[in-house]
Amino acid sequence: MNKLTCYYALSGINYKNSTVTCCPRQADQLVFQKDTILPSEIYNHNNFKELRKSLDIGIWPKGCDTCEEMEKNNLKSMRHDFRIPMSNWLEIQKKYNVITGEMSKDALTHIELRFSNACNFSCLHCSDVYSSKWANILKTFKQDNDMIKYDLKQLLGTEHRHGDDDNLSMKMSISQIDEIVNDLCKNFPNLELIDIAGGEPLYQKQFWYALEKLTKHPNAKNIIFSFHSNFNTDFDIVYLSHLLKKFKRGVILISIDGGENIYPYFRKGGKWSQLVKNINKIKRIDQKTHIVGTCTTSAYQILDIKNVFESILSLDLIFDASIVQTPKYINPSILNYDFFTVINKDFDEVINYINSKLTGKKKMDAIHWFNYIKEYTNETKIGYKHYNRFLVYIQKTDKIWDCDFNNFYQNYRIIDGELERI
Ligand code: SF4
Ligand code: SF4
């Protein structure tokens, strides 16, 4: 069997909700933070070594299922998605001990931290694990038979969980941040990429504390510090920019995930005008930090894909995208059964728009991510039952959030519980 060489398995540590893995997609809980929080103990933890050994002999570990699914559909998976120079990547591979599965500490280049689920949004693709707003929403309604019958995981509080007894939460204290950052400064001289995800980091005191402390890492001048944010809250943009400038580069990955039409519907809690205001301000005061607009793409985005692209591209950011593979009832490909032809007509309009409005690198990036979304949507096969689950999810979430799908979508209507193109 072919080796499944993975950048993240060899060079990453990823802190999640009281657990630690090596990448954002890995679903197995490799280390529990109650056992250790220290990168120097996690990096060569037995479960990390076993994961590497399995990939090295070409066997997909269970928790790598989303990469496996992508590759089965001939798509590029996250394991190839590294953001360091090729020469550094080749050096990292030499630091793998094929017998023991160990890596030498100077091979760790990527770390991703999550401090808390505190968030001011409750987006339709998220869950209580990642959003405190979602956790509060779950307390406001009673689960009904449909939610159970259609296994609407987010509404049942089972999404991003590992079984009935998994009630872990994302909570990192200031003293734990001290332990982690001190260890990174002392033992990991080649750290190159720091990612912060959430919750909403800008909303969390731990984020600001960690950011200040990480500016003191001995390799800070060679580190790219990036964080995911909805960028839709009040915060001190000037101070943020000041801190980010202490790294080789700051990168703000702004999850936009909608066009002007559906933004307030999909990203519950968000205002498009506040987003635009914050983006304009950071662009005005900071030309060094890279501002990336990401489109996390589920079935909801596909239903308004032209406005999604037009709106995000109008913000004049670096464009980026990802796919919501789970829960399956919002996977983009569920729409193929009833709407394949019209969706591909919409895709044609998007590519015409990109070709007519953009030039140079911005055009290349937009085309790259457009093709990624289109190929995934068209090539992935998911059972029809998930489409029915989507319809029930829309019905339930509209009721819970007291809103109406039909007031936001221009090309589709829900009529008597069915989705229709208009
Ligand atoms: S193969 Fe994919 S899921 Fe598995 S560790 Fe690598 S990036 Fe993560
Ligand atoms: S902003 Fe992020 S963490 Fe908050 S609800 Fe949306 S996706 Fe979840």
Side-chain angles (χ1 to χ4, degrees), residues 157-307:
T158 57
E159 177 65 359
H160 303 124
R161 298 265 176 217
H162 288 77
D164 293 345
D165 56 350
D166 175 1
N167 56 4
L168 296 173
S169 56
M170 211 187 282
K171 267 189 216 144
M172 199 176 273
S173 65
I174 295 291
S175 64
Q176 286 175 315
I177 291 171
D178 276 334
E179 283 185 68
I180 293 170
V181 178
N182 290 344
D183 192 26
L184 289 172
C185 291
K186 187 170 163 214
N187 293 312
F188 297 96
N190 291 336
L191 192 60
E192 279 184 68
L193 297 160
I194 300 173
D195 277 331
I196 310 290
E200 171 48 53
L202 293 171
Y203 209 56
Q204 303 166 3
K205 66 176 184 308
Q206 298 99 316
F207 169 76
W208 295 96
Y209 183 80
L211 174 54
E212 285 167 1
K213 202 168 162 76
L214 282 161
T215 61
K216 310 277 182 342
H217 189 284
N219 201 35
K221 289 278 171 248
N222 297 310
I223 287 177
I224 297 175
F225 180 98
S226 73
F227 69 98
H228 296 260
S229 171
N230 60 41
F231 221 58
N232 204 313
T233 182
D234 278 328
F235 60 96
D236 189 341
I237 292 187
V238 174
Y239 187 52
L240 175 70
S241 164
H242 164 75
L243 291 174
L244 293 178
K245 283 176 184 161
K246 294 184 184 283
F247 296 96
K248 177 185 175 186
R249 194 187 316 133
V251 179
I252 307 175
L253 297 154
I254 303 176
S255 49
I256 299 176
D257 308 352
E260 209 169 344
N261 293 341
I262 65 164
Y263 188 83
Y265 177 76
F266 183 78
R267 312 221 70 194
K268 296 189 186 306
K271 283 199 187 125
W272 184 262
S273 55
Q274 178 77 39
L275 173 75
V276 174
K277 189 174 134 206
N278 286 348
I279 289 174
N280 287 341
K281 180 153 187 197
I282 189 89
K283 278 167 53 179
R284 211 166 44 244
I285 63 168
D286 188 343
Q287 277 78 50
K288 185 182 173 201
T289 298
H290 284 198
I291 317 291
V292 181
T294 67
C295 179
T296 316
T297 314
S298 71
Y300 284 103
Q301 284 69 32
I302 298 296
L303 292 176
D304 201 30
I305 193 70
K306 187 157 177 256
N307 185 255

Side-chain angles (χ1 to χ4, degrees), residues 103-144:
M103 297 294 298
S104 59
K105 283 189 184 145
D106 58 357
L108 183 95
T109 56
H110 179 253
I111 191 126
E112 182 162 315
L113 294 161
R114 288 176 181 79
F115 306 122
S116 145
N117 73 345
C119 183
N120 52 337
F121 279 17
S122 49
C123 307
L124 285 173
H125 62 325
C126 200
S127 72
D128 64 315
V129 171
Y130 290 100
S131 157
S132 54
K133 268 274 170 79
W134 253 103
N136 289 338
I137 292 282
L138 288 189
K139 292 177 198 152
T140 64
F141 65 90
K142 208 165 164 295
Q143 292 167 3
D144 64 25

Side-chain angles (χ1 to χ4, degrees), residues 124 260-266 268 298-305 329-330 334-335 339 343 346 387 389-422:
L124 285 173
E260 209 169 344
N261 293 341
I262 65 164
Y263 188 83
Y265 177 76
F266 183 78
K268 296 189 186 306
S298 71
Y300 284 103
Q301 284 69 32
I302 298 296
L303 292 176
D304 201 30
I305 193 70
Y329 53 85
I330 57 171
I334 54 163
L335 300 169
F339 300 107
I343 283 171
D346 292 345
Y387 174 67
R389 293 170 75 202
F390 178 52
L391 297 181
V392 182
Y393 184 64
I394 293 173
Q395 188 198 349
K396 298 294 172 192
T397 49
D398 274 7
K399 193 161 171 215
I400 291 165
W401 273 272
D402 191 21
C403 61
D404 187 347
F405 175 99
N406 293 345
N407 291 339
F408 296 88
Y409 282 85
Q410 317 272 314
N411 297 325
Y412 293 85
R413 283 280 174 279
I414 299 282
I415 300 173
D416 295 332
E418 294 296 328
L419 185 63
E420 294 184 11
R421 177 84 175 195
I422 51 170

